[in-house]
Amino acid sequence: MNSLKFNFLPKRTFLLGLATLLTSTFASAQETKKPALKDAPVFSQFTYRGDDRIYKENPLGPDEFYTPILQGCYPDPSITRKGNDYYLVNSSFAMFPGVPVFHSNDLVNWKQIGHVLDRTSQLKVETSGISAGVYAPDIKYNKNNDTFYMITTQFSGGMGNMVVKTKDPAKGWSDPVKLQFDGIDPSLYFDDNGKAYVVHNDAPAKGKALYEGHRVIKIWEYDLQNDKVVPGTDKIIVDGGTDINEEPIWIEGPHIYKKNNRYYLMCAQGGTGDNHTEVIFSSDNVMGPYVPARNNPILTQRYFPKKRVNKMDWTGHADLTEGPDGRYYAVFLGIRPNEKDQVNAGRETFLLPVDWSGEFPVFENGLVPLKPKLKTPTGVKNQTGQNGFFPNGNFTFIDNFAAKKLDYRWIGMRGPREAFITTGKNGLQITPFAKNVKEVAPISALWHRQQHNAFESTVTINYTPKTEKDLAGLVCYQSEKFNYVLGLTKKGNDSYLVLARTEKGKTSIVASEKIDTRKPIQLQVVAQGNDYKFNYATDKQNFINIGGTVPGDILSTNVAGGFTGSLIGLYATSANDIQP
């Protein structure tokens, strides 16, 4: 691996010890409604427009659709099926609400129907760094009791491994049940005979680790009546990976499937960076022993030229389902780096057809450079971006915040959105917290994922700061330690527009200038790969640049580390420390 090895592997090891973080004290989303303040900023006319070259050069035919199917920070996908209904979930880390859940009838057209973890009794991330929180959720439908389960690892609030369940993913999920086992990436398997099992990544027994990144896959019997693993049933079914003599690292993300009375264990291997792969094992018994396929890996992009055209990379962490046409399909994570090979949009959800006519599943074109387009399943019409379906490719998202219900794409950080927002005919009002974006705490900011390498995002703000501690504006945020803030604040008797860059937690002023805030101001960020420009307009049409062209490197995983993608935030604070 490249330098990302040093961002991902040690950090992941460190996160295993975060189960002692404090419990969130925020009230639930259903219980809180922050009263509006007279002088709080009002945001309106938000637009986000993607402009990636790959989509302009690869227009869709009538029977095609784009992959990734979910652009931006939607990593670690898991999928399940009940009849003609498909449900998909993703990791959400310290974002609130957590674990977005999507629905489809055809694997092409997806609607977000909510979040699995949408209240503080489920999600305790108040003191989590952005890349802690909720990891690698697994969603499964159990036909034996007509119940959906979501099992995950929550690195916060003392939660650890946990499970929630529901009869209908669109109607809310139970409070979590803590599960009494260590490790990460748990997944449930329900056998035809009604028995249930949990598989997960874990450390080798104490003193048995042979090298850095040595992990094992464990299986437990699972008690469905009491939602707990059966003590004493745990067994290591994979030690190290496909061949421990080659010292494979980070065997994780396990899923069990059954086909032709044989069990298949599919896992990610190699770490979630540019050495990422997907591998598979088989067994005659659900408890093993599991034997690796001879043709592993079955999915990867690690063998190809670094500077290939339309590069997509880091593929792995996959999950399988049978499609509406009787063929198998897989969802998995991957990335689309910019021209400097930097990953600003984060890890995204891709899809590929899978040929399972032989003994092992074969990802179709999973071992060649990925292409941006796929053929739709027979009889399926691509409606992405229409009729409420999630868009992909180059698209424009517009929100005036007039709807009673906030669009599911908007998220908070470490606490409920309802604690600081009010929406109405004038737009979105944010009541500022006495916390700023550099703090590991709930932030009074509403976030939209960066979903393209080339994009433009604009918002109108109506706001006059009263003191130097007041600031509101637009944020590009990779983490609490790496971000840009374009905001309105006060110095003396004057209002200022300030652009600040925070790198490794240290903030420097890029540019600032006096500004008249008696009329609404438009704030804008325009990105072309690594080049970001921040602009403003006071007449709704003639944008003026502030700070020149600034590098987007601090908004990349390569520089900032962690597991998320860059976010665009509408932000207010009463604890501003950025002075013109």
Side-chain angles (χ1 to χ4, degrees):
M1 294 177 66
N2 61 14
S3 61
L4 287 170
K5 176 179 180 180
F6 303 103
N7 286 330
F8 283 118
L9 298 183
K11 185 166 289 191
R12 190 131 193 191
T13 303
F14 168 75
L15 287 172
L16 292 175
L18 288 181
T20 58
L21 290 178
L22 297 175
T23 299
S24 170
T25 57
F26 261 66
S28 75
Q30 285 77 14
E31 297 168 346
T32 61
K33 189 66 177 179
K34 195 73 173 179
L37 294 179
K38 179 181 178 182
D39 298 324
V42 175
F43 296 85
S44 59
Q45 298 172 315
F46 176 86
T47 63
Y48 173 93
R49 181 176 63 85
D51 194 34
D52 281 347
R53 177 181 53 81
I54 189 172
Y55 299 120
K56 291 187 284 187
E57 294 178 354
N58 293 274
L60 291 176
D63 61 344
E64 295 177 325
F65 68 106
Y66 287 125
T67 183
I69 54 174
L70 302 178
Q71 293 166 220
C73 182
Y74 293 101
D76 306 327
S78 177
I79 192 169
T80 197
R81 178 183 184 181
K82 177 186 178 182
N84 293 324
D85 295 298
Y86 295 88
Y87 298 92
L88 185 153
V89 294
N90 301 97
S91 292
S92 56
F93 308 101
M95 302 170 191
F96 201 114
V99 187
V101 57
F102 296 85
H103 171 264
S104 177
N105 292 119
D106 53 31
L107 301 178
V108 174
N109 305 297
W110 292 90
K111 288 184 181 179
Q112 187 170 358
I113 58 173
H115 292 81
V116 176
L117 307 177
D118 60 4
R119 55 191 187 273
T120 53
S121 60
Q122 301 168 309
L123 187 58
K124 301 179 182 301
V125 292
E126 187 181 21
T127 57
S128 295
I130 190 172
S131 280
V134 177
Y135 271 60
D138 168 74
I139 187 171
K140 285 289 189 300
Y141 172 67
N142 184 1
K143 64 181 180 181
N144 301 306
N145 62 4
D146 189 30
T147 301
F148 291 87
Y149 293 76
M150 192 283 293
I151 186 170
T152 190
T153 312
Q154 185 173 165
F155 286 105
S156 54
M159 293 299 293
N161 290 303
M162 51 163 275
V163 66
V164 295
K165 55 188 179 180
T166 184
K167 293 290 185 179
D168 184 345
K171 293 184 178 179
W173 296 71
S174 69
D175 277 347
V177 175
K178 292 176 63 175
L179 300 173
Q180 302 303 314
F181 60 88
D182 296 325
I184 61 172
D185 293 10
S187 173
L188 284 162
Y189 172 69
F190 305 113
D191 211 340
D192 300 331
N193 60 9
K195 289 187 176 181
Y197 303 86
V198 170
V199 287
H200 64 95
N201 162 301
D202 205 349
K206 188 174 181 180
K208 298 291 186 180
L210 301 178
Y211 51 87
E212 175 72 21
H214 179 193
R215 303 290 289 179
V216 303
I217 300 297
K218 269 187 183 177
I219 189 167
W220 301 72
E221 293 180 18
Y222 187 77
D223 179 351
L224 283 168
Q225 297 301 316
N226 299 294
D227 283 311
K228 65 178 184 180
V229 293
V230 178
T233 62
D234 56 310
K235 179 182 178 183
I236 293 174
I237 53 176
V238 173
D239 186 4
T242 49
D243 184 351
I244 198 168
N245 295 316
E246 296 182 0
E247 298 189 353
I249 59 173
W250 288 104
I251 189 78
E252 58 190 5
H255 295 284
I256 290 179
Y257 312 94
K258 190 176 186 180
K259 189 171 186 290
N260 298 329
N261 292 316
R262 191 164 175 81
Y263 298 91
Y264 294 85
L265 172 68
M266 192 170 73
C267 304
Q269 183 174 286
T272 193
D274 58 8
N275 205 37
H276 208 192
T277 68
E278 194 72 14
V279 297
I280 195 157
F281 308 76
S282 65
S283 177
D284 290 324
N285 190 305
V286 67
M287 297 292 287
Y290 282 87
V291 178
R294 293 181 179 179
N295 63 329
N296 280 318
I298 56 175
L299 170 71
T300 191
Q301 296 286 288
R302 69 182 182 185
Y303 301 121
F304 311 125
K306 187 177 180 67
K307 294 187 177 180
R308 60 191 181 272
V309 176
N310 293 336
K311 182 178 180 180
M312 291 171 263
D313 210 352
W314 297 9
T315 55
H317 203 107
D319 198 3
L320 294 170
T321 190
E322 189 174 349
D325 54 1
R327 303 171 69 197
Y328 280 84
Y329 290 81
V331 291
F332 56 95
L333 72 80
I335 53 102
R336 295 173 299 132
N338 63 25
E339 79 287 355
K340 291 188 176 293
D341 208 35
Q342 293 178 333
V343 183
N344 288 44
R347 299 172 301 154
E348 308 174 297
T349 292
F350 287 72
L351 184 140
L352 275 181
V354 174
D355 180 356
W356 205 344
S357 59
E359 180 183 2
F360 290 101
V362 176
F363 285 67
E364 296 184 13
N365 294 321
L367 297 176
V368 300
L370 286 177
K371 297 176 175 60
K373 299 191 297 183
L374 295 174
K375 294 290 185 181
T376 58
T378 303
V380 174
K381 180 183 178 182
N382 184 355
Q383 301 180 68
T384 53
Q386 308 168 41
N387 303 317
F389 291 110
F390 209 69
N392 60 9
N394 284 331
F395 57 83
T396 299
F397 170 63
I398 300 173
D399 200 338
N400 292 319
F401 305 106
K404 291 183 178 180
K405 189 175 182 180
L406 194 65
D407 192 284
Y408 287 128
R409 279 170 275 199
W410 292 109
I411 51 174
M413 188 61 63
R414 306 185 192 91
R417 300 162 299 183
E418 292 78 7
F420 59 86
I421 67 167
T422 305
T423 57
K425 63 180 182 179
N426 294 326
L428 168 80
Q429 187 175 63
I430 295 183
T431 300
F433 291 162
K435 301 289 182 181
N436 62 51
V437 293
K438 292 183 290 186
E439 298 186 61
V440 180
I443 304 302
S444 45
L446 205 57
W447 305 97
H448 182 282
R449 292 164 174 84
Q450 177 180 331
Q451 297 177 288
H452 300 80
N453 286 315
F455 74 92
E456 174 184 299
S457 188
T458 306
V459 70
T460 299
I461 182 172
N462 190 350
Y463 178 60
T464 298
K466 299 301 180 184
T467 74
E468 294 179 356
K469 290 291 185 180
D470 298 324
L471 181 143
L474 194 65
V475 182
C476 287
Y477 179 94
Q478 222 288 336
S479 74
E480 53 274 3
K481 293 183 178 181
F482 294 86
N483 53 74
Y484 283 104
V485 174
L486 177 66
L488 300 171
T489 188
K490 192 171 186 179
K491 182 179 180 181
N493 295 320
D494 298 311
S495 293
Y496 278 79
L497 179 64
V498 60
L499 176 62
R501 169 187 171 102
T502 296
E503 182 175 3
K504 297 180 180 179
K506 296 182 178 180
T507 301
S508 58
I509 304 300
V510 178
S512 66
E513 54 187 78
K514 289 183 183 180
I515 195 165
D516 186 350
T517 59
R518 288 175 294 180
K519 292 183 179 180
I521 297 167
Q522 286 185 295
L523 303 178
Q524 182 183 74
V525 55
V526 179
Q528 287 289 335
N530 188 55
D531 294 335
Y532 283 64
K533 291 183 179 180
F534 292 89
N535 309 314
Y536 71 96
T538 56
D539 60 1
K540 298 184 178 181
Q541 55 184 350
N542 296 303
F543 280 91
I544 301 167
N545 176 254
I546 180 171
T549 300
V550 297
D553 56 350
I554 63 168
L555 304 176
S556 71
T557 305
N558 313 61
V559 172
F563 304 106
T564 62
S566 183
L567 305 174
I568 302 160
L570 311 181
Y571 164 60
T573 181
S574 60
N576 174 47
D577 64 352
I578 301 171
Q579 302 302 326

